[in-house]
Amino acid sequence: MNTELLGIYLNDHLAGAMAGTELARRIGRTHPELRVLADDIEADRQELLDVMKGLGVEWRPHKAAIGWLTEKAGRLKFNGRLLGRSPLSDVLELETLHLGIEGKAALWRALQAIGAVDAQRLERLLHRASSQAELVEAYRIRIAPKAFNAPHVSGVDVERTFTVASSPEGVVEYLRDFSRAEQWDPGTVTCTRLDEGPVEVGSRWRNVSTFLGRKTELVYELTREDAHGLQFVGRNDTATSTDDISITAGPAPGTTRIGYHAHVEFNGLAKLGAPVAKLALEKLGTDTERNLIRVLGSVR
């Protein structure tokens, strides 16, 4: 067997596995129902690393880095929206993921043909790839009509995903009271509850923030609290800001994975400032992530 060619082949697939894992994580942030895919695809990547080790094939880190960069570069593709996330992105990302899963299945079949890996192991991996492909394709077909019938909107999107050293229950309890934004939102100056009683869907806050050197005031409302997380919507005459916060159990006991997605829709002439706002919001997103890790605990 030509181990040099086999090494090139397997490392190329390893780069694809890295890109697939990153893409699956990104899809999972937008579609919580598909979060399990990222774990499955990461497990397949680990299986490939183990197969390579068993075959005496050296892992080439630069190939994995190329896979990671390829996925990031793919986000720059123009899908009909300059600053916000396009509904078309969902369809294209799922198609890309489906192609990656089919490529992975082709890898397992090639290894079957050369007989260098345990047959039962490869059968198990092929079965898992088939299940993944069916799940992705069914979901893609389900959302396609919605994507192509989506109304035209403009706005700015910022996303961050990170893990904190607090339980999901503790994170929900802390974040659901939006007045605590003074502690973690770098732009917030004051955030005051406008109503009384227990915090619940419909509770409202007046938030005064600084943005691009100016003070702005929005009234925020808790619009969703369910098993997937929280949603707050803030409004004024200039913009509508929607903060979606997904909250799931982290990789270790007592930790939580937070997915933070902010969408700002500008009104009237304020739309002209969207490109500048995008840059400022990206920095705020990074600072928000840092502050929440500080407040809720850093995972060591």
Side-chain angles (χ1 to χ4, degrees), residues 30-51:
T30 307
H31 303 284
E33 305 94 320
L34 298 179
R35 283 180 187 151
V36 67
L37 269 176
D39 294 334
D40 272 1
I41 292 173
E42 169 61 20
D44 288 340
R45 189 181 74 86
Q46 294 296 332
E47 292 261 15
L48 177 54
L49 282 168
D50 191 56
V51 166

Side-chain angles (χ1 to χ4, degrees), residues 7-35:
I8 293 172
Y9 177 69
L10 294 178
N11 271 283
D12 283 347
H13 270 282
L14 183 62
M18 174 62 77
T21 300
E22 290 296 313
L23 179 57
R25 286 173 178 160
R26 176 173 170 79
I27 290 171
R29 291 197 292 270
T30 307
H31 303 284
E33 305 94 320
L34 298 179
R35 283 180 187 151

Side-chain angles (χ1 to χ4, degrees), residues 52-295:
M52 292 169 65
K53 182 179 178 181
L55 293 173
V57 172
E58 184 179 356
W59 170 46
R60 299 172 185 173
H62 71 279
K63 288 272 190 174
I66 290 172
W68 183 87
L69 288 170
T70 298
E71 192 281 327
K72 303 303 178 189
R75 301 185 186 189
L76 301 177
K77 177 176 172 56
F78 182 69
N79 293 325
R81 300 277 171 84
L82 179 61
L83 297 171
R85 178 176 173 82
S86 168
L88 183 58
S89 296
D90 292 332
V91 178
L92 291 174
E93 287 177 354
L94 288 167
E95 288 181 1
T96 301
L97 186 60
H98 188 271
L99 289 171
I101 293 169
E102 292 292 347
K104 176 172 59 182
L107 162 67
W108 303 141
R109 287 193 293 271
L111 291 176
Q112 274 185 328
I114 65 177
V117 180
D118 178 69
Q120 288 187 338
R121 183 181 201 179
L122 292 174
E123 281 293 337
R124 173 175 56 82
L125 292 171
L126 276 167
H127 178 74
R128 186 155 69 183
S130 176
S131 298
Q132 292 169 359
E134 289 177 6
L135 174 62
V136 170
E137 181 62 5
Y139 199 85
R140 185 185 71 88
I141 293 300
R142 181 159 69 86
I143 69 167
K146 180 180 177 181
F148 290 111
N149 289 312
H152 177 75
V153 297
S154 60
V156 175
D157 290 271
V158 175
E159 296 182 74
R160 296 291 186 274
T161 302
F162 50 94
T163 302
V164 297
S166 298
S167 67
E169 296 79 12
V171 171
V172 170
E173 184 60 30
Y174 177 79
L175 291 178
R176 66 197 298 272
D177 185 353
F178 200 65
S179 63
R180 295 194 177 106
E182 295 179 10
Q183 301 171 17
W184 55 265
D185 181 8
T188 294
V189 178
T190 62
C191 193
T192 309
R193 179 87 182 270
L194 293 175
D195 43 30
E196 298 179 349
V199 173
E200 58 188 6
V201 171
S203 295
R204 298 162 70 241
W205 296 261
R206 177 178 290 107
N207 182 282
V208 178
S209 302
T210 56
F211 185 66
L212 293 174
R214 301 181 62 181
K215 277 192 176 182
T216 182
E217 181 178 313
L218 293 92
V219 172
Y220 274 87
E221 180 180 343
L222 176 60
T223 55
R224 177 175 59 82
E225 179 180 5
D226 56 30
H228 298 305
L230 306 165
Q231 182 186 77
F232 297 92
V233 177
R235 295 183 173 88
N236 63 13
D237 292 338
T238 303
T240 298
S241 177
T242 302
D243 291 358
D244 272 305
I245 307 172
S246 67
I247 300 169
T248 56
T255 66
T256 300
R257 191 163 181 82
I258 297 176
Y260 177 79
H261 177 202
H263 175 80
V264 182
E265 191 74 26
F266 295 99
N267 305 322
L269 292 176
K271 292 180 180 179
L272 299 176
V276 176
K278 171 68 172 177
L279 297 175
L281 286 168
E282 284 290 349
K283 183 180 185 306
L284 282 175
T286 300
D287 292 342
T288 296
E289 175 182 348
R290 184 182 302 115
N291 287 347
L292 282 171
I293 291 174
R294 173 181 55 80
V295 170

